[in-house]
Amino acid sequence: MNSASNFLTTALLVLGWLGLVGLAWYFQRRGKPTTVTLLPYQHGVLYRMGLPLRDVGPGKHRVWTGTELLVHGDVRPISVNYENLVVALQDSSAALYGFSASVQVQDMRKAVYCARDYSDVPAFILLRCARRHLNDCSAASIKLEREAIVKRITDDAQKRLAAAGFSLISFRMPQLLVGTSPQQQAPQTTPRLSSSNG
Amino acid sequence: MTQDQFMGIFSLVVVISVLVASVNRQRNRGKKRILITDYRRGVHFVSGSFKSVLGPGSYRFDPRNEQINIVDMRPQPILIERLPFQDALTHNGIISVGTELLVRDPRLAATALRDQVKDAYVMVRETLRAELSKQIAVGKENAANLSQSITNAVNTELAKVGMAVSDVEITELWSHSPQPQTTVGSAIIQ
């Protein structure tokens, strides 16, 4: 009886010790457990060993630092506002335009992958769409079909933004004037992401 | 098996595990851990020499003689707006383009460029201007061909530094082609 009891005690000790060693090995391999809290306006993607595991919403999330990473972003609307931009038109005249828009992240995973900094993407897309569609117009068509042109820009931007994981909440073009020279450089009132004047 | 034997085995297990732990600790001393996500690559250097490009995963490295430079493989949208140019016939024009910068070769991009976006942006702009100076009668009607030739020229240039661009979209194109002036012409003929 005494021998059996000793055996059991020693076996338990050995097992306990092995369990401790196993735990130490597991923690060393997996990393340290931490908690990341996402606020109501934040969404993210959880990565394990560098690969996306699942999309996560607001709340507390357990993350093993070392093997897991929670990449998160802000889903509050992004305002894009540009004024006094000049675009050449098809009839060798030019237009002065400005727009304001509001864009929101719809799909955080798509947004994470669409660019190095996803918050720049709405401005890039809107600038591209507006300039492209206005450049296809003449001064007369801008005067006559202003609403249709703005709708074309909106539709094109919506498609491109959706492909990048965003939704266009609003788009307005309060400034659209025709008659300046195509080579004129308008005074820049808003910061530009990337522009060149030679 | 007696109690002494069990205690002996237990002590042996303890000693072995303590030894293994201390060896492991010694081996990992000073090492750092890095997690590379699937949209990044790690350019791994050992003692100043390139070793490999690391894909997604978790890696331990010794910062005393190893370095891992992270390269972001995600596209970087760029806009070149209202770039003045002169075509082959010295007609003035203005072009705006939009495209995305991409990393094709992380090793080359990490070693050839200090700032991938800024440096590549300058290269794109200069190549664009050079390409346009070779063109004759640049107009909106041949914008598709022009876009293709610009994309090819820019990609040829950027390939030298491990970068590339996606299809270049011409968002604005204006070229001043002066109309033939008959009065001046006739005066010269006379």
Side-chain angles (χ1 to χ4, degrees):
Chain A
M1 186 68 191
N2 198 19
S3 168
S5 167
N6 283 340
F7 174 79
L8 195 65
T9 311
T10 316
L12 281 173
L13 276 172
V14 170
L15 278 176
W17 184 257
L18 285 176
L20 276 176
V21 171
L23 265 178
W25 177 80
Y26 179 77
F27 275 97
Q28 198 204 353
R29 197 172 163 76
R30 185 111 198 243
K32 286 178 193 163
T34 53
T35 307
V36 178
T37 308
L38 295 187
L39 296 169
Y41 54 82
Q42 291 177 321
H43 281 74
V45 182
L46 181 67
Y47 286 83
R48 181 176 293 166
M49 298 303 283
L51 299 173
L53 190 67
R54 63 170 185 272
D55 292 2
V56 293
K60 277 189 173 183
H61 303 280
R62 189 164 284 274
V63 177
W64 294 80
T65 52
T67 54
E68 290 182 343
L69 181 71
L70 185 57
V71 177
H72 63 272
D74 201 320
V75 294
R76 287 177 292 184
I78 300 166
S79 293
V80 182
N81 185 44
Y82 284 92
E83 289 168 19
N84 295 333
L85 302 172
V86 176
V87 62
L89 305 176
Q90 287 305 298
D91 52 3
S92 289
S93 60
L96 192 68
Y97 70 101
F99 63 84
S100 61
S102 186
V103 179
Q104 194 169 20
V105 174
Q106 191 79 41
D107 184 336
M108 185 47 80
R109 194 184 289 213
K110 270 190 188 174
V112 164
Y113 282 92
C114 74
R116 292 182 177 200
D117 184 350
Y118 73 89
S119 61
D120 288 345
V121 172
F124 277 106
I125 289 177
L126 290 165
L127 281 167
R128 270 171 89 158
C129 291
R131 189 172 286 280
R132 189 200 164 114
H133 286 281
L134 289 172
N135 182 235
D136 284 340
C137 301
S138 63
S141 68
I142 284 184
K143 283 176 188 162
L144 293 172
E145 314 163 15
R146 186 185 167 131
E147 293 305 315
I149 294 164
V150 173
K151 190 175 181 318
R152 278 208 296 274
I153 296 170
T154 311
D155 291 345
D156 190 12
Q158 244 164 3
K159 258 186 247 166
R160 294 186 195 213
L161 286 166
F166 294 88
S167 68
L168 184 64
I169 300 169
S170 67
F171 180 82
R172 289 190 315 112
M173 195 167 249
Q175 185 189 25
L176 186 53
L177 306 166
V178 178
T180 49
S181 157
Q183 284 174 304
Q184 183 187 331
Q185 191 63 44
Q188 201 62 58
T189 53
T190 40
R192 302 279 279 281
L193 298 157
S194 308
S195 67
S196 165
N197 296 314
Chain B
M1 209 175 269
T2 64
Q3 186 185 358
D4 290 345
Q5 282 172 320
F6 275 117
M7 286 312 289
I9 290 168
F10 179 65
S11 310
L12 193 67
V13 168
V14 170
V15 168
I16 288 170
S17 37
V18 166
L19 271 175
V20 167
S22 64
V23 166
N24 203 22
R25 193 188 160 95
Q26 200 65 31
R27 210 181 54 170
N28 289 329
R29 178 167 284 180
K31 283 198 173 181
K32 280 188 176 175
R33 199 165 193 174
I34 192 164
L35 185 72
I36 299 173
T37 45
D38 62 345
Y39 53 80
R40 289 186 169 144
R41 295 290 179 271
V43 184
H44 188 197
F45 297 93
V46 179
S47 304
S49 309
F50 170 76
K51 192 184 173 198
S52 61
V53 174
L54 305 173
S58 177
Y59 302 93
R60 279 185 187 281
F61 70 103
D62 188 349
R64 287 168 295 191
N65 69 334
E66 286 177 276
Q67 248 192 323
I68 296 177
N69 287 7
I70 299 293
V71 178
D72 202 322
M73 306 294 283
R74 289 175 294 181
Q76 171 65 42
I78 57 164
L79 293 175
I80 296 176
E81 293 203 314
R82 300 191 68 73
L83 180 80
F85 68 92
Q86 273 198 336
D87 65 12
L89 302 173
T90 66
H91 295 156
N92 291 324
I94 285 172
I95 192 168
S96 299
V97 299
T99 186
E100 288 173 337
L101 278 176
L102 307 161
V103 176
R104 285 274 179 253
D105 183 344
R107 178 194 175 181
L108 201 51
T111 50
L113 300 174
R114 185 185 287 261
D115 184 323
Q116 286 147 19
V117 176
K118 271 188 192 168
D119 297 347
Y121 178 80
V122 173
M123 290 174 77
V124 172
R125 203 178 62 177
E126 296 312 313
T127 314
L128 176 64
R129 205 196 289 267
E131 186 60 25
L132 286 164
S133 70
K134 294 178 201 161
Q135 301 286 328
I136 297 169
V138 175
K140 196 78 183 172
E141 57 284 352
N142 55 5
N145 291 337
L146 182 63
S147 165
Q148 192 56 50
S149 68
I150 291 169
T151 307
N152 292 342
V154 170
N155 278 336
T156 308
E157 201 60 33
L158 288 179
K160 295 171 189 168
V161 290
M163 305 281 291
V165 288
S166 60
D167 289 339
V168 171
E169 181 188 14
I170 297 174
T171 53
E172 181 184 16
L173 186 57
W174 175 81
S175 179
H176 177 65
S177 309
Q179 298 297 316
Q181 293 179 358
T182 48
T183 50
V184 175
S186 56
I188 291 167
I189 291 164
Q190 283 168 9

